[in-house]
């Protein structure tokens, strides 16, 4: 199958470099999360991540991604109905009750880490909290399926089944993806699918899994800036993402902090 041949297999040494990239990325996300407070702007959130990337003298592969305008920042900061690709802005102020997702990439020694979280600003509604928790849980449920011999469809189906069982929707338009020397590699891993279909997972495959979940619809709309993507009905949305390596020993999450904790957890997850 041609897709199978396009999937690049990473060596243990390459995966070790990707883990280092993932630690830096996790530190940047943790710093960004600490700025998600009432009165801060999405620009401030991006600046916090940038300070960490600058400290390590690394860059984000997000900067300059071609589009209507080249993507101008290291992170996407997406508030409430904005599902993904929000451009950080001094004009977008965070308010109590908002939910914010931050997606960050790091390129380190030629390899990419890609990860995202969603967090509440102050106290959020019950629905917003449930949305974030379901989205975070769906990510880890998908990751558990990333064992050699399983198929990408097993990951996709597990995410979809869990999200829909809680009454929410997954987007059909944006997907998880292989990650490595480039931010987007084969295979695509949608957040919906059929068990036993797709690419067979084997050790050395590295994939960014990223459930993007919407409260009221699976339809989306792109903003006038050509980047930000909202739910079509402007209902709340959430997004969690990790970069993962499939190994003989099972899935290894590359984008955790050095101590093995996720940079952000709305469910109180610690060591994984
Ligand atoms: Mg991402
Ligand atoms: Mg991604």
């Amino acid at each position: 199958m041609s897709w199978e041949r396009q999937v690049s297999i990473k060596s243990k040494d390459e995966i070790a470099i990707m883990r280092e990239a993932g630690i830096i990325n996790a530190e940047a996300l943790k710093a960004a999360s600490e700025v998600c407070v009432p009165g801060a702007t999405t620009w401030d959130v991006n600046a916090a991540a940038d300070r960490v990337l600058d400290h390590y003298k690394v860059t984000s592969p997000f900067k300059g991604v071609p589009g209507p305008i080249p993507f101008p920042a290291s992170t996407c900061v997406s508030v409430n109905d904005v599902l993904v690709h929000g451009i950080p802005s001094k004009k977008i102020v965070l308010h109590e009750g908002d939910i914010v997702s931050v997606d960050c990439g790091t390129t380190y020694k030629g390899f990419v880490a890609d990860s995202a979280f969603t967090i509440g600003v102050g106290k959020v509604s019950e629905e917003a909290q449930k949305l974030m928790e379901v989205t975070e849980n769906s990510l880890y449920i998908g990751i558990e399926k990333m064992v050699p011999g399983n198929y990408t469809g097993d990951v996709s189906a597990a995410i979809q089944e869990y999200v829909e069982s809680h009454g929410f929707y997954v987007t059909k338009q944006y997907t998880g993806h292989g990650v490595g020397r480039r931010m987007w590699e084969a295979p695509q891993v949608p957040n919906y699918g059929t068990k036993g279909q797709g690419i067979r997972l084997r050790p050395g495959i590295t994939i960014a899994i990223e459930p993007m979940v919407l409260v009221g619809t699976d339809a989306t709309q792109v903003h006038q800036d050509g980047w930000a993507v909202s739910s079509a009905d402007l209902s709340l949305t959430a997004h969690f993402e990790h970069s993962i390596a499939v190994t003989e020993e099972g899935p290894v999450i590359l984008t955790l902090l050095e101590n093995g904790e996720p940079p952000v957890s709305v469910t109180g997850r610690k060591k994984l």
Side-chain angles (χ1 to χ4, degrees):
M1 216 162 75
S2 61
W3 261 109
E4 298 265 5
R5 282 200 296 272
Q6 287 173 33
V7 174
S8 80
I9 300 295
K10 280 79 176 178
S11 68
K12 288 197 169 138
D13 288 347
E14 289 171 332
I15 290 172
I17 294 170
M18 290 182 70
R19 173 71 181 117
E20 290 179 58
I23 291 170
I24 296 171
N25 206 60
E27 287 185 19
L29 285 176
K30 188 176 172 63
S33 75
E34 287 161 1
V35 183
C36 293
V37 296
T41 66
T42 60
W43 180 274
D44 299 329
V45 175
N46 178 72
D50 258 344
R51 280 193 289 276
V52 174
L53 301 184
D54 289 348
H55 170 78
Y56 287 103
K57 299 185 169 58
V58 296
T59 54
S60 168
F62 294 13
K63 256 190 192 164
V65 168
I69 55 162
F71 196 80
S74 300
T75 67
C76 302
V77 187
S78 306
V79 183
N80 293 336
D81 56 285
V82 182
L83 177 66
V84 286
H85 302 167
I87 296 177
S89 167
K90 289 178 178 169
K91 292 182 187 152
I92 303 176
V93 179
L94 301 179
H95 299 100
E96 176 98 15
D98 285 344
I99 59 173
V100 187
S101 58
V102 183
D103 192 344
C104 186
T106 294
T107 305
Y108 172 78
K109 294 187 180 173
F111 285 89
V112 171
D114 184 11
S115 179
F117 68 83
T118 304
I119 196 171
V121 179
K123 191 167 167 45
V124 303
S125 71
E126 261 178 50
E127 183 179 64
Q129 185 64 29
K130 181 184 164 197
L131 172 69
M132 292 191 292
E133 290 182 3
V134 166
T135 308
E136 180 181 331
N137 285 336
S138 75
L139 169 61
Y140 293 101
I141 285 167
I143 291 170
E144 281 173 13
K145 299 288 181 190
M146 296 184 68
V147 295
N150 270 0
Y151 288 80
T152 53
D154 298 329
V155 180
S156 301
I159 292 169
Q160 179 180 23
E161 201 173 295
Y162 181 79
V163 169
E164 292 182 352
S165 76
H166 286 86
F168 297 136
Y169 297 83
V170 290
T171 179
K172 307 286 197 292
Q173 278 138 320
Y174 303 91
T175 71
H177 49 89
V179 62
R181 290 194 183 276
R182 286 174 295 125
M183 181 160 59
W184 292 295
E185 299 185 348
Q188 280 194 349
V189 184
N191 296 307
Y192 67 98
T194 308
K195 286 175 196 165
Q197 294 199 348
I199 301 296
R200 193 155 184 266
L201 296 172
R202 54 195 190 280
I205 289 183
T206 47
I207 296 177
I209 298 294
E210 48 181 318
M212 291 161 255
V213 178
L214 307 87
V215 165
T217 176
D218 66 359
T220 57
Q221 54 180 334
V222 179
H223 288 214
Q224 279 191 344
D225 67 13
W227 277 106
V229 176
S230 278
S231 54
D233 63 357
L234 302 182
S235 60
L236 287 178
T237 65
H239 177 205
F240 276 85
E241 176 179 27
H242 276 306
S243 300
I244 299 112
V246 178
T247 77
E248 306 277 7
E249 294 78 37
V252 172
I253 305 177
L254 302 168
T255 40
L256 298 172
L257 295 163
E258 192 161 22
N259 66 8
E261 291 180 12
V264 172
S265 171
V266 294
T267 62
R269 239 168 239 275
K270 289 286 181 190
K271 293 262 182 188
L272 300 167

